[in-house]
Amino acid sequence: MTRRKLETAASRATDPGVSPDTQDRQFVTSLARGLEVLRAFGPGEATLGNQEIAERTGLSKPTISRLTHTLVDLGYLSYSARNGRYQLGPGVLALGYAMIAGLEVRERARPMLEDLAASANVTVAIGERDRLNIVYLDCCRGSQTVALSLNVGSRIPLGSTALGRAILAKLPAGEREYLLRAMRERMPEDYPKIEHGVEQAIRELETQGFCTSFGDWRNDVNAVGVPVASLDGERLFGLICGGPSFTLSTETLMQDLGPRLVEIAGRLSAPRQVTAD
Amino acid sequence: MTRRKLETAASRATDPGVSPDTQDRQFVTSLARGLEVLRAFGPGEATLGNQEIAERTGLSKPTISRLTHTLVDLGYLSYSARNGRYQLGPGVLALGYAMIAGLEVRERARPMLEDLAASANVTVAIGERDRLNIVYLDCCRGSQTVALSLNVGSRIPLGSTALGRAILAKLPAGEREYLLRAMRERMPEDYPKIEHGVEQAIRELETQGFCTSFGDWRNDVNAVGVPVASLDGERLFGLICGGPSFTLSTETLMQDLGPRLVEIAGRLSAPRQVTAD
DNA sequence: ATGGGAGTTCCGCACAGCGAAAGATACTTT
DNA sequence: AAAGTATCTTTCGCTGTGCGGAACTCCCAT
């Protein structure tokens, strides 16, 4: 039982499409496939037909037909007989809420995020890794200019954002390398920048306690980030603070906001550091 | 033992009418079971062990073991080796966001909800049915804008709320009866009230275009609701407007807010705006 | 130490779920 | 209108997946 969670946690945690040739007797394929179907509904693809799902997932049409049938039956997909297309259904949203409602880190973090967002008029967010993305768990904005009400749940890339870098940098080396490898395979052209950014983030975390992304994700967005471990030490989150580059200078981030983020992260972490690694 | 009950009841709670109880060759059991595992994580149960999941779902321990293993692998569950318990993972949240981001009704409804919530200082929400619950798809509050996105995705009962009644009342009779029957089985003691409320809602919708729930869900909450069909006519949503009974009188709801809700519902259903074809 | 409870692994069997191809339906094209 | 095209569903045997009882391991309590 030596090779346990580290490997499996990283094993399929990357990308759809190819099912890794694991003879894992513990792995339930149909479940994974069904979830892959749900995952096919991305930002740009609010509605999909069976054909499109089959293409995106690489599964055969009859399989898709059965899976969608099942998912509709359970309320995770809605079917429009009008145009033969599916949409994500209410069941999926209820699950998402249950997830966020049960997250104690979020509860504890929220007042601090609000405080910082309001006092410095920046965007503050907490996120977690999901495969090769970061998912926003919570988000506070300074001035309610344009209220894009909830990007809680939205994804941003892992490699180029301050949030992603903070998390990658804090990850055990093995897992980090696994993820970097997956990114290199998937987007070889972006990889050099990604790798460089992550290496820099590791150094920054060592020296100053927070890492940066100045224009690396969107070139008009600056942000600083810190990692935060859950109380039981099993989950790794990231905390960022950022804004448009013409509002938010790198100096402010480096000298004021970064340190404040570090301080918040300290308060969020367990009172006693039990780093048994 | 009687383990068939919960599972099948839950499965069919979405699909009304002539679902032949014959072994549905289209139905992928493992997928349904896996999703049932995720669903076991309710409001009160942020973390669960395998044993508890097995009890809640009625599945055998080895089966749960395999399903949780798979779900952890895919990022839909997080596992804490510390105490051997699971939590919903980030993947689930990303799905929820994709669902809500792809909902055009929500986009179109939002400005109207905000407007009404602000001008009348009430809570306005849009929801959809998920099995025997209503799931909030969006929610605007009048004055206290503190917790805005928090209860998106949260569930309220189908039978006693204005939202649930609006949807039940507008449903095809067969489906409505199917759901009522399911509710009678599951909560026989509450059923008489539920049935009465729904019958009343049907009458109210006919006569005044909106239905009511005055203290029937929480006895200090008043609300009025209307059904809204999606543009393609395939999905049925509900719109409510409500607040605490000491702030929001039944008269205001009946004479002012109810009609305004009806008007909003009309604008949501009618695609003929200032469109130049 | 010792017992009990929780979780995982073994194992053979049944049948769930798979995919090629045929059938059904809706939507275009000529 | 009729043939053509694209999409989705159903059929049908075969295979291998996933199932559960029982045995095994681990972790806490006491």
Side-chain angles (χ1 to χ4, degrees):
Chain A
M1 71 187 64
T2 56
R3 40 154 184 106
R4 297 207 59 248
K5 288 183 8 53
L6 280 185
E7 269 191 30
T8 53
S11 67
R12 282 176 203 75
T14 52
D15 220 2
V18 195
S19 55
D21 40 10
T22 319
Q23 297 287 347
D24 191 351
R25 288 278 275 145
Q26 291 282 93
F27 192 75
V28 181
T29 316
S30 328
L31 173 55
R33 288 175 164 177
L35 290 166
E36 221 48 54
V37 167
L38 292 181
R39 216 170 237 273
F41 293 82
E45 341 254 25
T47 77
L48 294 174
N50 271 340
Q51 180 91 323
E52 295 164 285
I53 300 175
E55 284 161 11
R56 273 161 190 66
T57 57
L59 300 169
S60 73
K61 283 194 292 179
T63 300
I64 295 299
S65 206
R66 262 173 280 127
L67 293 174
T68 51
H69 175 90
T70 306
L71 290 168
V72 167
D73 209 16
L74 297 171
Y76 296 100
L77 283 183
S78 298
Y79 179 65
S80 169
R82 184 88 38 142
N83 54 5
R85 302 187 129 247
Y86 299 88
Q87 271 184 84
L88 291 173
V92 150
L93 187 58
L95 282 184
Y97 175 72
M99 184 268 169
I100 218 171
L103 253 201
E104 51 88 22
V105 189
R106 191 180 144 279
E107 305 275 331
R108 291 186 302 125
R110 177 145 259 270
M112 304 187 215
L113 305 198
E114 277 170 355
D115 186 41
L116 182 57
S119 79
N121 195 33
V122 290
T123 296
V124 188
I126 185 170
E128 188 178 11
R129 183 181 72 84
D130 177 46
R131 307 201 183 179
L132 298 183
N133 303 297
I134 294 291
V135 176
Y136 268 42
L137 302 177
D138 205 353
C139 180
C140 298
R141 293 169 196 286
S143 57
Q144 273 74 1
T145 51
V146 185
L148 50 154
S149 59
L150 74 155
N151 35 17
V152 170
S154 60
R155 306 181 199 208
I156 58 173
L158 185 60
S160 56
T161 61
L163 235 168
R165 286 173 180 172
I167 288 182
L168 275 175
K170 191 63 179 301
L171 235 36
E175 198 166 348
R176 173 173 59 246
E177 279 151 20
Y178 177 84
L179 291 169
L180 284 172
R181 232 174 294 134
M183 291 166 96
R184 183 168 52 196
E185 268 185 36
R186 247 197 113 184
M187 28 193 178
E189 66 286 356
D190 299 338
Y191 182 73
K193 272 192 204 165
I194 290 173
E195 187 182 35
H196 174 261
V198 171
E199 282 167 0
Q200 181 179 338
I202 294 175
R203 287 195 302 273
E204 286 172 335
L205 282 187
E206 273 174 9
T207 59
Q208 63 197 12
F210 60 88
C211 66
T212 63
S213 170
F214 296 153
D216 295 333
W217 171 43
R218 301 280 160 85
N219 55 12
D220 53 349
V221 170
N222 291 337
V224 292
V226 293
V228 177
S230 65
L231 288 184
D232 63 0
E234 299 278 350
R235 286 175 87 158
L236 184 56
F237 304 97
L239 212 56
I240 61 109
C241 164
S245 51
F246 55 85
T247 305
L248 190 55
S249 71
T250 58
E251 287 75 29
T252 313
L253 283 167
M254 292 294 285
Q255 282 151 33
D256 180 24
L257 295 169
R260 286 173 75 177
L261 221 48
V262 172
E263 196 255 342
I264 289 179
R267 273 197 281 160
L268 280 176
S269 300
R272 23 163 212 172
Q273 292 279 2
V274 187
T275 51
D277 275 359
Chain B
M1 301 294 283
T2 58
R3 83 168 30 141
R4 56 184 170 81
K5 180 182 64 69
L6 267 182
E7 196 181 335
T8 50
S11 306
R12 304 302 171 203
T14 340
D15 199 345
V18 271
S19 65
D21 274 2
T22 67
Q23 295 275 358
D24 190 350
R25 289 279 275 141
Q26 291 285 93
F27 194 77
V28 180
T29 316
S30 328
L31 173 53
R33 288 176 165 177
L35 290 166
E36 220 50 49
V37 167
L38 292 182
R39 215 171 241 272
F41 293 82
E45 340 253 29
T47 76
L48 293 174
N50 270 343
Q51 179 91 325
E52 295 165 285
I53 301 176
E55 285 161 8
R56 274 162 190 66
T57 58
L59 299 169
S60 72
K61 282 196 296 177
T63 299
I64 294 298
S65 207
R66 265 173 275 131
L67 294 175
T68 51
H69 174 90
T70 306
L71 290 168
V72 168
D73 216 13
L74 297 170
Y76 296 100
L77 283 182
S78 298
Y79 179 65
S80 169
R82 185 89 38 144
N83 54 5
R85 301 189 130 246
Y86 298 89
Q87 270 185 81
L88 291 173
V92 149
L93 188 57
L95 282 184
Y97 174 72
M99 185 269 169
I100 217 171
L103 254 199
E104 51 88 23
V105 188
R106 190 181 145 276
E107 304 278 330
R108 292 187 301 127
R110 177 146 259 270
M112 305 187 215
L113 304 197
E114 277 171 354
D115 184 43
L116 182 58
S119 78
N121 195 32
V122 290
T123 296
V124 188
I126 184 169
E128 188 178 11
R129 182 181 71 85
D130 177 46
R131 305 200 186 178
L132 299 184
N133 302 297
I134 295 291
V135 175
Y136 269 43
L137 303 178
D138 205 352
C139 180
C140 298
R141 293 169 197 284
S143 56
Q144 301 300 338
T145 51
V146 181
L148 71 165
S149 62
L150 298 193
N151 36 18
V152 169
S154 60
R155 305 181 199 211
I156 58 172
L158 185 60
S160 55
T161 62
L163 235 170
R165 286 173 179 172
I167 288 182
L168 274 175
K170 191 64 179 299
L171 234 36
E175 196 168 347
R176 173 172 58 247
E177 279 152 20
Y178 176 83
L179 291 169
L180 283 172
R181 231 174 295 132
M183 291 166 95
R184 182 167 52 196
E185 266 185 38
R186 265 188 92 164
M187 27 195 176
E189 65 286 357
D190 298 337
Y191 182 74
K193 270 192 204 167
I194 290 174
E195 185 181 37
H196 174 262
V198 171
E199 282 167 0
Q200 181 179 336
I202 295 175
R203 287 195 301 273
E204 286 172 335
L205 282 187
E206 272 174 9
T207 60
Q208 63 197 13
F210 60 89
C211 66
T212 63
S213 170
F214 295 153
D216 295 333
W217 171 41
R218 301 279 160 86
N219 55 13
D220 53 349
V221 169
N222 290 337
V224 292
V226 293
V228 177
S230 66
L231 289 184
D232 64 0
E234 298 279 349
R235 286 175 87 157
L236 184 57
F237 304 97
L239 212 57
I240 61 108
C241 164
S245 51
F246 54 84
T247 305
L248 189 56
S249 71
T250 58
E251 287 76 29
T252 312
L253 283 167
M254 292 294 284
Q255 281 151 32
D256 181 24
L257 296 168
R260 285 172 76 175
L261 220 49
V262 173
E263 196 254 343
I264 290 179
R267 273 197 280 159
L268 279 176
S269 308
R272 44 176 182 278
Q273 294 278 16
V274 277
T275 56
D277 277 319

